[in-house]
Amino acid sequence: MSGMSLRHALLGLLANRTASGYDLMKLFDTSLANVWPATQSQVYGELTRLADVGLVEVTAQGPRGRKDYALTDAGLAELRRWLTETRPEQPRRSDLLLRVFFLDQLTSEQRLEFFRYQAERAASHHAELRRLRESPALNEPGRLTANGRLALEYGLRLTAMQEEWADWAAKQISQGFPESAGQS
Amino acid sequence: MSGMSLRHALLGLLANRTASGYDLMKLFDTSLANVWPATQSQVYGELTRLADVGLVEVTAQGPRGRKDYALTDAGLAELRRWLTETRPEQPRRSDLLLRVFFLDQLTSEQRLEFFRYQAERAASHHAELRRLRESPALNEPGRLTANGRLALEYGLRLTAMQEEWADWAAKQISQGFPESAGQS
DNA sequence: TGTTTCATGTAAGACGTTACATGATTGG
DNA sequence: CCAATCATGTAACGTCTTACATGAAACA
């Protein structure tokens, strides 16, 4: 009962306009791809559950069994409650940092390679986000895009920091730190 | 079959010294708490599975049914394979950025408060990590602590960046961006 | 003798992923 | 008429969390 963020992502998207499960899927693959990916399976399942508890409702049926969902008053209230009364949790698990803890299992050369790769990957991710910032989709006015720019700025700063850190770590290692622990 | 990082966390810890499930739990609660938390339930279950596939083995039985586990040759090989032949994935979901996408549901005042809180929280997390850096546990020599310092530096840079970003976003908002969208 | 610490295990449920399955409609 | 797109749904499986359950040994 702690997370449920997929649910709130759906409510948030429906606050803008009504949409079908199919429409919502596309939004997850485009605007929300970098902050909260979701699969088709999840979207349809959660929409049914949301309708069951009255946070959304089907307002129209289209061709091919299409159902248009809209936010109910209860749904909007729940969205605002989530935004104001609950606090975001930062992610606790890092695949990257876990590896860093066990890096003494490798040779200095391999450790260097590890951080060089991280620096490179962060740099290319950063470049990708810079391209996204200049893309036309982000520069037309609109609610989601205004907020999206704030999120994008986070990504730019994060990837910049990651590159600097990896460079720093590589330098530490090439200066013989930590005392070349070697294998067992 | 993609992740399995809990498995590798256990292998990594057992590369240092043999340990019981109980010992490993304590290590998860201390050294790995900030990079890969795990519950008692998970640890015991995964240890049995690791023994089943021969990556670890029980080398001694102690009082109270205690089992000491050690890494096998296959286990060490798997640990090194994971470190060198697989690439870390960065986390894709952010509870924080998801909220940012829907912030237009709030008033400017509430949005300001949101970012002020984020700045504050990042600052206090940063301070906590600085305290950890000066703590005696981090300053005795040892394999895990040398690597831990690299991970800690990441945390310090991350929290610093988060505070700067939140301050920046608050400033954007107080300058009337994005054009005070208001409620529906 | 009683409490704390050590020590291991199982079960139920939420969430997420991948794959399977089905079919209508549109457009060339 | 055929292919792509639109559109929804189910099933199996893996991981993680919370809670339940049990008991031996140490120590005061």
Side-chain angles (χ1 to χ4, degrees):
Chain A
M1 216 185 255
S2 50
M4 321 261 303
S5 290
L6 170 67
R7 162 164 300 199
H8 296 103
L10 287 168
L11 296 176
L13 290 173
L14 288 173
N16 268 329
R17 63 186 71 84
T18 70
S20 66
Y22 192 85
D23 296 335
L24 290 164
M25 263 181 55
K26 281 189 295 184
L27 289 171
F28 274 100
D29 285 343
T30 55
S31 38
L32 291 191
N34 295 300
V35 297
W36 206 273
T39 61
Q40 178 255 38
S41 219
Q42 262 183 300
V43 169
Y44 284 110
E46 189 63 27
L47 276 174
T48 326
R49 255 168 272 136
L50 282 168
D52 285 346
V53 296
L55 297 178
V56 305
E57 59 187 354
V58 178
T59 52
Q61 309 251 86
R64 280 166 293 206
R66 176 190 171 95
K67 297 183 210 163
D68 262 276
Y69 287 93
L71 208 57
T72 62
D73 289 345
L76 182 58
E78 170 57 20
L79 175 61
R80 295 226 170 100
R81 189 199 63 77
W82 173 69
L83 283 168
T84 55
E85 289 172 35
T86 70
R87 299 300 193 178
E89 301 170 29
Q90 83 277 49
R92 302 170 144 257
R93 291 189 169 81
S94 169
D95 201 1
L96 169 63
L97 295 184
L98 182 59
R99 280 159 216 252
V100 170
F101 263 83
F102 303 131
L103 239 35
D104 54 67
Q105 289 302 318
L106 304 180
T107 64
S108 301
E109 186 48 50
Q110 286 175 312
R111 265 176 275 164
L112 248 183
E113 161 61 18
F114 178 90
F115 286 113
R116 283 211 199 97
Y117 172 79
Q118 287 310 129
E120 212 177 276
R121 172 210 260 263
S124 86
H125 193 182
H126 186 86
E128 195 188 306
L129 292 177
R130 245 182 306 149
R131 254 176 276 124
L132 180 59
R133 186 177 52 186
E134 312 309 338
S135 83
L138 254 285
N139 290 85
E140 58 193 23
R143 298 170 137 206
L144 278 182
T145 62
N147 298 317
R149 275 191 292 274
L150 296 176
L152 180 57
E153 178 70 21
Y154 184 97
L156 286 164
R157 288 170 186 240
L158 175 64
T159 47
M161 174 252 129
Q162 287 173 329
E163 187 183 0
E164 287 160 26
W165 170 78
D167 284 340
W168 170 86
K171 205 173 161 191
Q172 296 290 110
I173 283 164
S174 63
Q175 289 174 357
F177 170 86
E179 317 88 33
S180 73
Q183 329 272 100
S184 75
Chain B
M1 217 187 258
S2 50
M4 321 260 301
S5 290
L6 171 67
R7 162 164 299 201
H8 296 103
L10 287 166
L11 296 177
L13 290 173
L14 287 173
N16 268 330
R17 62 184 74 82
T18 70
S20 67
Y22 191 85
D23 295 334
L24 290 163
M25 265 179 56
K26 280 188 295 183
L27 289 171
F28 274 101
D29 285 343
T30 55
S31 36
L32 291 190
N34 295 300
V35 297
W36 206 272
T39 61
Q40 178 255 38
S41 219
Q42 261 183 300
V43 169
Y44 284 110
E46 189 62 29
L47 276 174
T48 325
R49 257 169 270 134
L50 281 168
D52 284 348
V53 297
L55 296 178
V56 304
E57 59 187 353
V58 178
T59 52
Q61 309 252 85
R64 279 166 295 205
R66 177 192 172 94
K67 299 184 209 162
D68 262 278
Y69 287 93
L71 207 59
T72 62
D73 289 345
L76 182 59
E78 171 56 20
L79 175 61
R80 295 225 170 101
R81 187 199 66 76
W82 173 69
L83 284 168
T84 55
E85 289 172 35
T86 70
R87 298 301 194 178
E89 301 170 29
Q90 82 277 49
R92 300 169 147 258
R93 292 190 168 81
S94 169
D95 201 359
L96 169 63
L97 295 183
L98 181 60
R99 280 159 215 251
V100 169
F101 263 84
F102 302 131
L103 240 33
D104 54 67
Q105 289 302 318
L106 303 181
T107 64
S108 300
E109 186 50 47
Q110 287 174 313
R111 265 176 275 164
L112 250 183
E113 160 61 17
F114 178 89
F115 286 113
R116 284 210 199 96
Y117 172 79
Q118 287 309 131
E120 213 176 276
R121 174 209 260 262
S124 86
H125 193 181
H126 187 85
E128 195 187 307
L129 292 178
R130 245 182 305 150
R131 255 177 275 121
L132 181 59
R133 187 177 50 184
E134 314 308 339
S135 82
L138 254 284
N139 288 85
E140 57 194 22
R143 298 169 137 206
L144 278 181
T145 61
N147 298 316
R149 275 191 292 273
L150 296 175
L152 180 57
E153 178 71 21
Y154 184 97
L156 286 164
R157 288 171 186 240
L158 175 65
T159 47
M161 173 252 130
Q162 287 174 329
E163 186 183 1
E164 287 161 26
W165 170 78
D167 283 340
W168 170 85
K171 205 172 161 192
Q172 296 290 112
I173 282 164
S174 64
Q175 289 173 358
F177 171 89
E179 316 88 34
S180 72
Q183 331 272 100
S184 76

